[in-house]
Amino acid sequence: IAGITQAPTSQILAAGRRMTLRCTQDMRHNAMYWYRQDLGLGLRLIHYSNTAGTTGKGEVPDGYSVSRANTDDFPLTLASAVPSQTSVYFCASSEVSGANVLTFGAGSRLTVL
Amino acid sequence: SQKIEQNSEALNIQEGKTATLTCNYTNYSPAYLQWYRQDPGRGPVFLLLIRENEKEKRKERLKVTFDTTLKQSLFHITASQPADSATYLCALDINRGSYIPTFGRGTSLIVHP
């Protein structure tokens, strides 16, 4: 079934540790995104990529980095996790058009202690 | 301040009634507005897109209106069913022409049998 695969589904991490959340899509979409979702704050954009080789910062990029080496993969890295990064992370993808419709993954629940 | 406003209180309705959810925005002139559904523990799923030059869009039991003068979109579910219980998110381009939608915080709908 075409879509987005995120891994891990859930992770508990000690503060200060490095963590990479993986995201792979098989729809050949040009654009990919990372959002975090927190209770009461909704979905907030962390980073995005228009196409392979390019990335951009969203609303809350601090403490996170991304790379887009190819069309299908868009990993999100926390270089040194902090408790405020405890959240549910969603990867999404879309064609680049005037009103992009996003396809989301199932999410990765991250707890930083 | 909140960029896109959705009622934070859950909407409780009886099965068979029409559910109406509201999305208000200020200080923007979006070219489009989208509605997504999110079930607990899952990623959002796209439902409907409406553009600024469209007053109304329908899909099966769903209807969306878009009033750019009032800066408001209404999302209706007719003949609601318990299976319609979920959180509904609206999203729009707060930077006009941007292909990246910004999401509201969502409204929880609970349909009672």
Side-chain angles (χ1 to χ4, degrees), chain B residues 45-90:
Chain B
V45 175
F46 170 76
L47 295 175
L48 281 168
L49 163 73
I50 188 165
R51 300 184 186 275
E52 61 177 336
N53 60 347
E54 298 174 316
K55 295 294 185 185
E56 182 179 297
K57 243 341 178 18
R58 292 175 183 264
K59 178 184 176 181
E60 298 173 351
R61 295 185 295 113
L62 309 180
K63 184 178 83 171
V64 172
T65 63
F66 193 10
D67 189 323
T68 56
T69 301
L70 292 178
K71 296 187 181 295
Q72 180 180 79
S73 175
L74 299 179
F75 177 81
H76 307 274
I77 305 175
T78 59
S80 60
Q81 305 165 2
D84 295 326
S85 299
T87 296
Y88 291 86
L89 309 170
C90 71

Side-chain angles (χ1 to χ4, degrees), chain A:
Chain A
I1 297 176
I4 293 183
T5 302
Q6 290 187 237
T9 301
S10 180
Q11 182 77 43
I12 299 174
L13 187 67
R17 297 298 294 268
R18 181 184 180 89
M19 177 72 193
T20 296
L21 303 180
R22 300 183 298 279
C23 176
T24 299
Q25 56 112 351
D26 62 3
M27 297 171 285
R28 307 303 294 175
H29 283 166
N30 293 326
M32 297 188 74
Y33 317 80
W34 276 104
Y35 289 86
R36 60 178 288 174
Q37 188 172 41
D38 302 287
L39 193 63
L41 295 177
L43 282 163
R44 292 181 293 168
L45 183 67
I46 305 171
H47 284 288
Y48 65 93
S49 169
N50 294 339
T51 187
T54 68
T55 63
K57 294 182 179 180
E59 180 184 357
V60 289
D62 293 344
Y64 305 94
S65 64
V66 291
S67 62
R68 187 90 184 274
N70 57 61
T71 297
D72 299 341
D73 300 299
F74 192 43
L76 176 73
T77 297
L78 290 67
S80 180
V82 295
S84 63
Q85 292 177 311
T86 293
S87 187
V88 181
Y89 292 86
F90 288 100
C91 180
S93 71
S94 73
E95 292 290 347
V96 177
S97 68
N100 285 3
V101 171
L102 271 57
T103 299
F104 284 87
S108 293
R109 180 176 294 276
L110 182 65
T111 301
V112 183
L113 302 176

